[in-house]
Amino acid sequence: MLDSNKDSLKLEAMKRIVAMIARGKNASDLFPAVVKNVACKNIEVKKLVYVYLVRYAEEQQDLALLSISTFQRGLKDPNQLIRASALRVLSSIRVTIIVPIMMLAIKEAASDMSPYVRKTAAHAIPKLYSLDPEQKDQLIEVIEKLLADKTTLVAGSVVMAFEEVCPERIDLIHKNYRKLCNLLIDVEEWGQVVIINMLTRYARTQFLNPNMNESLLEEGNDKTFYGSDDDEDEEEEEEKKSEAPMPKRKPYVMDPDHRLLLRNTKPLLQSRNAAVVMAVAQLYFHLAPKVEVGVIAKALVRLLRSHSEVQYVVLQNVASMTIKRRGMFEPYLKSFYIRSTDPTQIKVLKLEVLTNLANETNISTILREFQTYIKSMDKDFVAATIQAIGRCATNIGEVRDTCLNGLVQLLSNRDELVVAESVVVIKKLLQMQPEKHSDIIKHMAKLTDNIQVPMARASILWLIGEYCEHVPKIAPDVLRKMAKSFTNEEDIVKLQIINLAAKLYLTNSKQTKLLTQYVLNLAKYDQNYDIRDRARFIRQLIVPTEKSGALSKYAKKLFLALKPAPVLESPFKDRDHFQLGSLSHLLNAKAGGYQELPDWPEAAPDPSVRNVEVKDSVQEVRTTGEGRISLLGEWREVFTLLERVATLTSVPEWTKCSSREKRKEKKVEKPFYSDSEGESGPTESADSESDSASGSEIGSGVVGSVSGTASEESEEGSESEEEEEEEEEDEKDKKMTMKKELKKPVQESESEQSSEEEEERKHERKKSKARKSDSESESDEDEDSESESSQSESEDSESEAEVKKKKKAAQSKPPSKPVKKESKKEMSLLDLDDFEPAPSPQVTPLNSFLSNSLATDLEGLSLSDAVLSPATLSPCSALKSYELLHRIRGEGLSVEYCFSRQPFSPDANMVAVQMQFTNNATSETKNLHMEEVKLQSGMRVKEFPEIELLPAGETATAVMGIDFCDSTQAANFQLCTHTRKFFVSIQPPVGELMRPVFLTENEFKKEQGQLMGMNELSEKLTLDAECRNEHAIVQRVTAAANLSRVPCGSDRECRFAGRTVTSGSLVLATVATKEEAAAQLTVNCEKMVIGTMLVKDVLLALTQ
Amino acid sequence: MIHSLFLINHSGDIFLEKHWKSVISHSVCDYFFEAKEKAVDPEDVPPVLQTPHHYLITVHRGKLFFLSVVQTEVPPLFVIEFLHRVADTFQDYFGECSESVIKDNVVTVYELLEEMLDNGFPLATESNVLKELIRPPTILRSVVNTLTGSSNVGDTLPTGQLSTIPWRRADVKYTNNEAYFDVIEEIDAILDKSGTTVFAEIQALCFSSHNPRLLDDVSFHPCVRFKRWESERTLSFIPPDGNFTLMNYHVSSQNPVAIPVYVKQSISFFESGPCGRLDITIGPKQTMGKTVEALMVKIHMPKAVLSANLTATQGNYTYDLPNKVLVWDIGKLNPQKLPNLKGILSLQAGAPKPEDNPSLNIDLRIQQVAISGLKVSRLEMFGEKYKPFKGVKYVTKAGKFQVRT
């Protein structure tokens, strides 16, 4: 059937084969027939063939190779689904020969534009690693690359790969730590679990123990643990503190990143996925300050409603937690009450938790509860309850007698198991204070007649032997009875009989000498060698003979030594050295691949490693500025301003300048934040449609920073970071997209800062503080303390800030034209008015103030020239207009749009689309706006501001931004007026999906060299008659695509370069002219789809 | 992570196996069978077993064991939760999760498992996404499939996989949109012999609510925006398509919980003669003016009880001898005429008198009321032009409601 031409027959055959596999039957002999169908067009057949291949390829390596080419083809398919599934299967067939192919495929997929494919690549990494561990180094590179990925889809998978391949390379996480923390909530649930577990380990290596000051006392806690309440512990801690000379420690200040982690994981306690809840719970247990751990109790108790397997695991962990932190589960005591329908293993675990929770205040309720349990039909459970009672009795002195009495009553129970268990427990309890309870011992001695359970019998005998002085009359009698039944006893009982005999011989030899001899003789011929050994040993020891050495003198001491009472301990004690929630913890044994939870470091490693470097693309800087603008609630205004200015100068450079200024400002301000308790936070949240959450977060941040400043100067830097984080948090709700990008630049500036000299920093800090307090009235807390002293410096600092700003602008725009300078100045004015209070611009001599460090600082900053080029280098060819709405269809309203080729300032990943509305009707049109944007996934749109009124005959323009995700898919939306709606769509030519970049000839060649092979597309063409000179070629190419020309030594070649707007992939184009009209067009682009389309478009442009 | 999965039925046959990495012989399951032999009840099989080279993590669902093999450290809850998700998916696809159904749809099951895990790491577990990848079998589709030879495998990438909203497909369009909210509250309680409440709390599966301050502890479907909840106590979400649990909440034992019924019972076994007496009466307590429906009492009898000779004033009773379960199905509770069950229990001759009395498990249902007093105060929908149909239904049920005797 597999050879048939009909897909349906093939499908039927494959279904049968898969059913065979599912049942575990061997279908490997069909391999050749199946593998042929790997190229089958029918998707379902294909899928089943894949299933088969993955299952049997390992066994039939040679034949499996036949299929590889299909997958390789699949890897280049334009459909991301096919690319992904090809990679999945390719990496799943465990054939060693194809390791290099897999490696190549993974590398390629890791930079695929589809996040789904990248996710698949992340999945493939551990597969390859398990197949060939020697590839580790290369794989780590890929992991490093993928860790930097910003999509939530990839995050979980790549961390998984990280955990499997290189969990020891904790250094790879530094740069991504904050990103992971912030993405966490949006990652799919399985990824969350993996990330949280990894971050727990990470935090243990990077941060200080939040309970550091208490850690010394922990041992003390353990001792007093059962007897005392938490408060008492606290007191004792105090005492200890005063008594023992504690090593001097700095007051503990939590690293802001540590706080970030705790804060971002907390909401996940409300996840529906038990594994996520557990992961967060263990994170809090291992990382959070003592006072904060309590929050997890509620969530864990909730999980007890879940499936019994979940309960089992959760209870195990709760049991471990209750040992250390009893207090947090006490309010939920009743949730651990046992139902008769619970499975036994759950009952036993609940019992364990109840026992751990028992203290003086609740013991009576717990014991009452235990009493009901003892009546249960489930005997194992009853036995466990009795043990639990015993433990309560040893731990809580007050109830010891009550418990003992209760247990003694149980001795008359009809069930032997219950009695036996009670005996064992009573024995342990009696050891604590035997004097008081000789009557109980007597009672138990009587039981020897009835009880048959060996363990219980042995316990009784031991007890009588041990305390034979308390029952001098009964003991010999018991021995007599036992001697009689000796041969029929179990081994452990026999051993105890010998023990009893020996002890009695030593204390009361008159009465028991013969009995002992008799017992020892019986034992001498016992079948068990242990018993024979014991008998021989004891005989030598206690019966004085000539040969007996020095030891017999000490016999009494040996046998009747005072034995310490056993401590009844929870089996869960000390289990928490395993990471909670892990398999190893559950089994209390190290599972393969378990990563030890490291101890807290003595001193925190450098926190600056988590700062993200400057090199991250510049476009994000811009968003920062905008992000802040929008926060101030002045989006609209700024937007219109932007337009006005854009038309004014036709150079949209200002946004960048302003944002740079912004950043500059931030930088200058930053130390200020750390002192003035996040003053900007509240202002912002007041302006934004305040959500109360942000308020509280700021509040907590404030507390943090207060203590930060109080403690240590050197922690200033990190503290201020926290403030920044705080701000981002605020924005999160409103500006999800903004936020992610915003993060980077903030940290950029931080890292710059930290690279500066400490001296410099302090200096600056003071100054800027002064500046703030001088120029702004809101910072009241600050003013009291600092303002007078720094008044005098304020001017300096202002000017310095200004200088920096200027300097930066100057540095970063070497080729700028005078026009731009003008615009820049103008805009800086504007933005000062608009954004937030800042020093008014003063013209100060450049250079004069510049310190060395600042210069280097700026060097580090040097923005890649990419940003500058659009205005400077793209030729001003007339922009092509497209019709969006015809005037007839639009009932008088006609709309045209063109790609303005100017960076869209609110979001650098968007393509700016300039729309021109013309009202040809006789009446005015109102409320022009967009609605119902329908987009392919991943695409985003920034709508143009509503045009409120368009009078008849008038024309208006507006700019909107569309993130096409580097695809030519159309953005559909409705254009609405006050009366009508029109469905319209904007589809970009591929040439508009890029922005020009400036490259030198060498850079160009270098980049081109890296984009060879599959990424290079070449096409021969014949140039159009009017297009045979260089100028015409340049004009046509740049008209077709938003590229900039690259200088070139050869006059036969024209080169162009650009980057795609969304992903920033490089696009290089070369037109090499040959004789006559012949020419060759070469496009290099890592996005093959873009490349292919671009070739078509440019070809058309040159040959039309 | 998850290495292999074996599905095992109650009698211990492995009827399906799937490996995501190298093949593991099904002899590893022997360790499981050993543990299963030891356990009295399938519930008592430890969920995690250690074998020399592997770890077995098992989940028991609907008379089936889902046994997964793990080789390295992995959070056990991760696996357990995933296995339950697999079972949920089967349930969702085939209506039930049983051996016969899985055997009938073995290819679909296999395809599902293939999509749900990649290399042992969960890939697509959201039912909406899966349904786009592999369409669930329906009668209509199977007819169409046989006629046209088309398949039930989707050929496009589910959009949900790519968006940040994995639980919803893009462009779902219906002619009429309806949103039903069921608030189902369950009372968990333990009452002792004299009828005093030992412990009671309310658990709920709910599908939306507003401003529930008293709620102690909540868990959400991933579609709910945590931040909005924290700040405004409003549930804001983009709903998945179809049925789903929006949130679970829990009103803890610290808040007083209204117990809707009271139980007067006396069960005693005589020292002399192989019999015992049983007398149970149930009456309404705090029902908020509604009738208690579907009232049912379940008693797990001691092993010695051979048969029951009882008379019920309302409803009827059955005694399941092999499992020793007495079920009394009462139905609607009539406050005027309280239902009563009275009679003789006969014991095995010669067996000792059972020393403890069995506890009663009570099942009930009250329509149109949420016992916690929770209300959906407002329901707003954004982003849709037309007015969708909205409906809210409240039900109170007994959860783990037990009366000790």
Side-chain angles (χ1 to χ4, degrees), chain A residues 312-344:
Chain A
Y312 176 77
V313 178
V314 171
L315 283 170
Q316 294 253 4
N317 287 296
V318 170
S320 285
M321 288 182 193
T322 46
I323 299 274
K324 264 251 169 79
R325 310 261 159 86
R326 186 179 48 193
M328 71 189 207
F329 284 101
E330 259 171 50
Y332 305 97
L333 184 74
K334 288 188 173 177
S335 306
F336 298 102
Y337 279 5
I338 294 158
R339 290 183 169 75
S340 59
T341 39
D342 286 332
T344 310

Side-chain angles (χ1 to χ4, degrees), chain A residues 15 18-19 21-24 43-44 47-48 51 55 58 80-81 88 94 116 119 123 126-127 153 160 164 185 189-190 193-194 197 267 270-275 278 298-299 301-302 304-305 307-314 331 334-335 337-341 343-345 369 372-373 375-377 379 413-414 581-584 586-587 590-594 692-693 697 729 733 931 937 981, chain B residues 1 15-17 19-23 43-48 50 55 58-61 72-78 80-82 84-85 106-107 110-111 114-115 117-119 121-123 125-126 133 151-153 155-157 161-162 164 171 186 188-190 198-199 201 203 216-222 226-227 229-231 250 254 300-302 352-353 355-356 359 361 385 400 402 404:
Chain A
K15 278 186 172 170
V18 168
I21 297 174
R23 255 176 254 125
I43 287 246
E44 186 161 17
K47 271 198 165 176
L48 295 177
V51 168
R55 171 70 177 75
E58 203 172 9
Q80 49 181 350
L81 181 66
R88 242 182 98 182
R94 292 164 288 273
Y116 184 68
K119 184 188 173 78
H123 280 277
K127 297 186 207 169
L153 204 59
M160 185 64 229
E164 288 203 17
I185 200 153
E189 43 199 359
W190 311 108
V193 178
V194 179
N197 280 323
Q270 287 167 343
S271 170
R272 64 166 172 175
N273 188 321
M278 189 66 233
K298 208 188 275 177
V301 169
R302 187 186 69 233
L304 294 181
R305 275 280 292 184
H307 304 283
S308 73
E309 295 87 3
V310 175
Q311 287 183 43
Y312 176 77
V313 178
V314 171
K334 288 188 173 177
S335 306
Y337 279 5
I338 294 158
R339 290 183 169 75
S340 59
T341 39
T344 310
Q345 49 186 352
E369 215 19 56
T372 16
Y373 300 163
K375 289 187 205 147
S376 162
M377 278 179 271
K379 292 305 165 209
N413 193 297
R414 263 181 300 147
S582 68
L583 186 61
S584 307
L586 189 79
L587 299 166
K590 205 170 159 184
Y594 173 73
S692 62
E697 268 156 14
E729 274 302 305
D733 279 0
E931 260 180 29
S937 64
K981 289 178 184 176
Chain B
M1 292 216 135
F15 65 93
L16 189 121
E17 60 180 79
H19 308 275
W20 283 275
K21 298 183 184 178
S22 301
V23 178
E43 292 254 286
D44 282 334
V45 183
V48 182
Q50 192 173 13
Y55 306 97
T58 323
V59 154
H60 182 241
R61 269 286 283 266
T72 51
E73 169 64 44
V74 58
L77 268 187
F78 185 96
I80 289 170
E81 186 76 23
F82 175 78
H84 277 297
R85 205 63 74 81
V106 69
V107 175
Y110 225 68
E111 282 167 343
E114 184 77 28
E115 289 302 333
L117 274 189
D118 182 13
N119 195 35
F121 191 76
L123 191 63
T125 50
E126 208 57 60
L133 285 167
S151 66
N152 58 348
V153 172
D155 50 358
T156 47
L157 181 67
Q161 269 293 30
L162 291 175
T164 46
D171 283 333
E186 294 185 0
D188 280 11
I190 302 176
V198 177
F199 160 81
E201 60 184 28
Q203 307 275 352
D216 230 13
D217 185 29
V218 204
S219 76
F220 297 118
H221 189 274
F226 285 128
K227 287 269 175 186
W229 165 258
E230 277 180 3
S231 56
H250 167 172
Q254 277 113 342
H300 289 262
M301 287 293 177
K353 161 187 117 105
E355 63 205 78
D356 67 321
S359 49
N361 293 300
K385 288 273 117 38
K400 296 174 176 171
Q402 203 161 78
R404 290 177 179 165

Side-chain angles (χ1 to χ4, degrees), chain A residues 103-120:
Chain A
M103 192 67 227
L104 214 68
I106 291 175
K107 278 186 179 164
E108 221 157 80
S111 44
D112 198 283
M113 73 175 176
S114 152
Y116 184 68
V117 178
R118 295 203 296 274
K119 184 188 173 78
T120 318

